[in-house]
């Protein structure tokens, strides 16, 4: 039965998104309550998060029956490769949407909201307006960083798909020039580009990674500087 254009297909998609969001939200709550020393409540949040994952998986199986694996032993290598390829295709599709449309649009809107909000709020309450402007500025900055991250993810998935299809990976290398040498966070994939710096953290554009203070942290996930490794990019032919 083709559900591609049905209301049920849309509902399954929304249900999957809702259950997925609930999973991450409850895991966040679990971490917060763990830090507060409330181990039983933290455990409850984690257990519920796992249940929400199962709900999301059930919805996704209905959305993509081509990915449902029954008897693995009965699958040929070509069938296995087709399933894995489909997973990568969907991953590439999602990451590409995020870095080409979603995050650039979010960043643009955040900048617009910051400016408009500041004008109104400064007239009423300067301190609150400054706080709001800072929040929106931070959001715009993070959306910009996430655009690069999702682009990186899409490239990784594309390379994995090409590998499945027998395409040899292009050689990669990190820049040897500290002025252009990029570094990537192993925890969240945030890419530090010295040409852009990290102005919100006081790191001016043009600052090589080695010159960043040791107490600097990843602006996305908060990981320490030592979590970053050299970022290798495809070498131009």
């Amino acid at each position: 039965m083709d559900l591609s254009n049905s209301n049920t297909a849309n509902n399954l998609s929304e249900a999957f998104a809702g259950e997925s969001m609930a999973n991450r939200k409850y895991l966040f709550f679990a971490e917060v309550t763990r830090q507060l020393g409330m181990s039983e409540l933290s455990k409850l949040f984690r257990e519920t998060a796992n249940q929400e994952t199962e709900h999301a998986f059930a919805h996704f199986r209905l959305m993509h029956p081509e990915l449902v694996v029954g008897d693995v032993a009965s699958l040929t290598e070509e069938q296995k490769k087709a399933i894995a390829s489909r997973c990568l295709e969907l991953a590439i599709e999602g990451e590409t949407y995020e870095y080409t449309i979603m995050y650039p649009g979010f960043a643009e809107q955040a900048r617009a909201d910051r400016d408009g909000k500041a004008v109104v709020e400064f007239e009423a309450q300067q301190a609150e307006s400054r706080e709001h402007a800072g929040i929106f500025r931070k959001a715009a900055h993070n959306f910009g960083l996430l655009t690069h991250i999702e682009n990186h993810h899409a490239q990784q998935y594309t390379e994995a798909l090409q590998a499945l299809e027998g395409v040899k990976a292009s050689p990669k290398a990190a820049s040897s020039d500290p002025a252009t040498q990029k570094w990537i966070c192993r925890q969240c994939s945030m890419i530090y580009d010295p040409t852009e710096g990290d102005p919100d953290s006081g790191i001016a554009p043009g600052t090589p990674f080695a010159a960043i203070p040791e107490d600097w942290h990843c602006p996305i996930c908060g990981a320490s500087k030592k979590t970053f490794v050299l970022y290798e990019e495809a070498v131009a032919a």
Side-chain angles (χ1 to χ4, degrees):
M1 180 178 180
D2 183 11
L3 296 177
S4 58
N5 295 313
S6 70
N7 290 328
T8 298
N10 293 331
N11 291 340
L12 281 171
S13 181
E14 289 191 20
F16 174 72
E19 299 287 3
S20 301
M21 184 182 296
N23 166 265
R24 309 319 293 178
K25 181 170 61 178
Y26 295 157
L27 286 178
F28 182 86
F29 293 164
E31 178 60 19
V32 170
T33 51
R34 183 195 66 77
Q35 293 175 337
L36 295 175
M38 302 175 181
S39 58
E40 288 302 314
L41 183 53
S42 178
K43 179 182 178 182
L44 173 62
F45 278 127
R46 286 193 177 279
E47 289 177 347
T48 308
N50 290 336
Q51 293 165 5
E52 300 292 9
T53 294
E54 291 304 316
H55 300 165
F57 281 6
H59 298 324
F60 202 76
R61 290 187 189 100
L62 291 175
M63 293 164 60
H64 293 283
E66 74 276 17
L67 300 179
V68 177
V69 178
D71 181 11
V72 178
S74 67
L75 297 176
T76 65
E77 288 304 312
E78 285 303 312
Q79 288 174 321
K80 292 178 182 178
K81 183 186 293 186
I83 293 173
S85 295
R86 181 58 178 149
C87 289
L88 287 166
E89 288 169 356
L90 289 171
I92 293 168
E93 178 183 305
E95 298 293 343
T96 301
Y97 165 75
E98 290 178 4
Y99 84 80
T100 60
I101 298 176
M102 189 177 81
Y103 281 123
F106 285 177
E108 181 180 354
Q109 188 62 59
R111 286 190 290 270
D113 287 346
R114 178 196 64 194
D115 294 340
K117 193 85 171 183
V119 172
V120 175
E121 291 293 332
F122 267 125
E123 295 176 351
Q125 193 171 357
Q126 184 174 359
E128 182 179 347
S129 177
R130 185 178 295 111
E131 179 183 355
H132 288 175
I135 291 172
F136 288 129
R137 184 173 60 252
K138 179 65 174 176
H141 178 63
N142 283 358
F143 288 147
L145 293 176
L146 287 166
T147 297
H148 298 303
I149 292 173
E150 304 308 346
N151 186 9
H152 170 67
H153 288 166
Q155 290 174 353
Q156 286 184 309
Y157 287 136
T158 299
E159 290 169 3
L161 178 58
Q162 291 174 337
L164 275 177
E165 296 172 346
V167 178
K168 186 177 180 180
S170 301
K172 291 185 176 182
S175 171
S176 59
D177 181 1
T180 58
Q181 204 172 61
K182 297 178 183 179
W183 291 70
I184 185 169
C185 176
R186 288 178 295 175
Q187 185 161 298
C188 73
S189 294
M190 179 267 175
I191 300 170
Y192 175 78
D193 185 343
T195 62
E196 298 179 2
D198 182 17
D200 279 6
S201 300
I203 310 300
T207 304
F209 188 78
I212 297 176
E214 293 304 313
D215 61 355
W216 176 80
H217 290 79
C218 175
I220 293 294
C221 69
S224 65
K225 181 182 176 182
K226 65 182 180 182
T227 308
F228 283 69
V229 295
L230 273 172
Y231 180 55
E232 296 185 333
E233 299 181 89
V235 178

